[in-house]
């Protein structure tokens, strides 16, 4: 592909090799229409193959505990990226069903790659980045080619391979114990194949029990503190500090008006229906 940032500035073209989409023609699936529930229920791979067909593409027939999760991370020179990936695998109840795709925008020789363990795997093979290296895919991009998070997350969407669930996370996140079982149960509690769970994540200070890895919070950030802000001759929405309190809605996710790129969880067909736009350089608000 031609790098979109250079194209927009009328510079000489920079040709990049990028991952192919899971489906070369996503429109062939949804036909430019809202995906039906019947079709949505058929999309999604399973950790355990079907006993009759040996296929892992089982959709809703897959038991909830075996439904695969694709985690997309866009990282820009983030030294905590490898710690985030370590946290994902070490605290998942079933790490075998998790696959992490990282778009790692770094300066080689200055930044540590997201898939580089702190010690060689030969000397300490029990490190999460060693034990689960077959579940971690990293697409490395030279940092000078970075043109904002939308482009990086577009590349992350290209790394999706038909998993049942799709999760998007920042590169500096600490996960709680059994996070995969927890978030899947919340997703299924909505009873909606098109539901998307999203929030501004709570500060880590005082949030996680260091001994058990369990959450110490019973509060929930609500994304609602928003107003118009002037800038560059236009007004745009600006999300302020979000209130965090004990939720009035319990036992299921709570509706809110906005979506946060720092954490999002949905069915995998989210990526098929609404992939990130390739041509939105330097778009960021946060």
């Amino acid at each position: 592909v031609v790098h979109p940032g250079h194209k927009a500035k009328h510079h000489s073209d920079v040709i990049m090799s990028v991952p192919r989409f899971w489906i070369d023609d996503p429109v062939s699936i949804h036909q430019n229409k809202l995906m039906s529930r019947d079709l949505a229920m058929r999309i999604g791979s399973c950790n355990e193959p079907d006993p009759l067909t040996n296929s892992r593409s089982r959709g809703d027939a897959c038991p909830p505990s075996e439904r695969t999760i694709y985690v997309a991370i866009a990282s820009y020179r983030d030294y905590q990226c490898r710690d985030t990936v370590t946290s994902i695998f070490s605290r998942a109840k079933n790490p075998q069903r998790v696959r992490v795709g990282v778009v790692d925008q770094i300066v080689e020789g200055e930044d540590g790659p997201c898939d580089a363990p702190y010690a060689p795997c030969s000397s300490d093979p029990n490190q999460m980045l060693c034990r689960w290296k077959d579940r971690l895919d990293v697409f490395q991009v030279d940092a000078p080619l970075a043109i904002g998070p939308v482009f990086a997350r577009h590349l992350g969407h290209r790394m999706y391979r038909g998993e049942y669930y799709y999760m998007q996370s920042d590169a500096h996140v600490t996960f709680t114990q059994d996070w995969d079982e927890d978030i899947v149960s919340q997703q299924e509690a909505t009873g909606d194949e098109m539901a998307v769970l999203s929030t501004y994540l709570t500060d880590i200070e005082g949030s996680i029990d260091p001994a058990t890895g369990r959450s110490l919070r019973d509060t929930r950030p609500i994304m609602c503190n928003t107003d118009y802000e002037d800038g560059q001759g236009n007004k745009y929405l600006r999300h302020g500090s979000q209130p965090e309190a004990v939720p009035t809605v319990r036992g299921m996710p709570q509706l809110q008006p906005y979506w946060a790129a720092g954490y999002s969880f949905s069915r995998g067909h989210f990526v098929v229906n609404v992939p990130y736009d390739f041509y939105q350089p330097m778009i960021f608000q946060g």
Side-chain angles (χ1 to χ4, degrees):
V1 299
V2 178
H3 188 278
H6 287 255
K7 194 76 172 176
K9 291 180 175 293
H10 305 290
H11 293 171
S12 299
D13 288 347
V14 173
I15 307 301
M16 296 180 64
S17 295
V18 298
R20 297 179 70 94
F21 275 114
W22 172 56
I23 299 293
D24 284 337
D25 180 16
V27 176
S28 65
I29 295 180
H30 53 66
Q31 301 294 319
N32 279 327
K33 298 178 182 177
L34 181 65
M35 184 178 286
S36 68
R37 186 174 189 275
D38 178 64
L39 178 55
M41 298 290 268
R42 299 201 302 268
I43 294 178
S45 60
C46 192
N47 200 36
E48 291 296 328
D50 184 280
L52 298 178
T53 66
N54 205 37
S55 173
R56 295 184 185 272
S57 298
R58 300 176 61 184
D60 202 51
C62 180
S65 62
E66 296 295 327
R67 293 171 180 172
T68 54
I69 302 172
Y70 170 59
V71 183
I73 297 175
S75 175
Y76 179 78
R77 308 192 68 182
D78 198 322
Y79 70 94
Q80 293 177 293
C81 184
R82 70 182 85 181
D83 299 324
T84 298
V85 175
T86 295
S87 176
I88 288 171
F89 286 115
S90 66
R91 287 184 169 163
K93 186 168 186 177
N94 183 6
Q96 290 183 334
R97 68 169 171 177
V98 178
R99 185 174 71 88
V100 179
V102 179
V103 178
D104 202 15
Q105 302 162 110
I106 62 172
V107 174
E108 200 163 2
E110 294 183 19
D111 306 315
C114 193
D115 57 348
Y118 287 105
C121 292
S122 56
S123 62
D124 186 2
N126 288 322
Q127 296 171 94
M128 292 296 106
L129 295 180
C130 302
R131 289 180 60 187
W132 300 106
K133 62 182 179 181
D134 62 329
R135 312 297 299 167
L136 172 61
D137 295 318
V138 174
F139 182 75
Q140 189 169 313
V141 177
D142 290 339
L145 292 178
I147 50 171
V150 176
F151 175 61
R153 288 173 177 143
H154 167 87
L155 297 176
H157 273 192
R158 283 176 169 268
M159 298 167 73
Y160 170 75
R161 289 297 176 264
E163 285 83 1
Y164 194 95
Y165 297 110
Y166 163 68
M167 184 170 79
Q168 177 174 303
S169 171
D170 276 343
H172 37 267
V173 173
T174 301
F175 286 74
T176 56
Q177 187 63 43
D178 299 341
W179 63 265
D180 53 329
E181 183 180 64
D182 185 15
I183 196 65
V184 166
S185 68
Q186 292 185 52
Q187 177 73 20
E188 295 303 319
T190 67
D192 185 350
E193 290 305 304
M194 302 297 174
V196 179
L197 306 182
S198 186
T199 190
Y200 284 138
L201 298 177
T202 302
D203 192 290
I204 192 174
E205 292 297 326
S207 294
I208 300 177
D209 187 318
T212 65
R214 301 285 180 182
S215 175
L216 298 173
R217 300 275 187 176
D218 59 359
T219 55
R220 178 187 294 164
I222 302 298
M223 297 177 62
C224 62
N225 189 13
T226 300
D227 204 347
Y228 284 98
E229 184 175 278
D230 289 318
Q232 299 181 355
N234 297 294
K235 287 191 173 184
Y236 59 93
L237 287 174
R238 175 73 181 184
H239 301 303
S241 178
Q242 305 302 309
E244 182 167 339
V246 176
T248 55
V249 176
R250 293 178 175 270
M252 67 177 297
Q254 179 174 336
L255 285 172
Q256 58 186 10
Y258 303 113
W259 175 84
Y263 186 82
S264 175
F265 191 90
S266 64
R267 282 292 303 269
H269 54 66
F270 177 102
V271 179
V272 178
N273 279 300
V274 284
Y276 274 102
D277 194 327
F278 184 66
Y279 295 103
Q280 288 191 335
M282 306 311 291
I283 300 295
F284 177 76
Q285 188 274 317

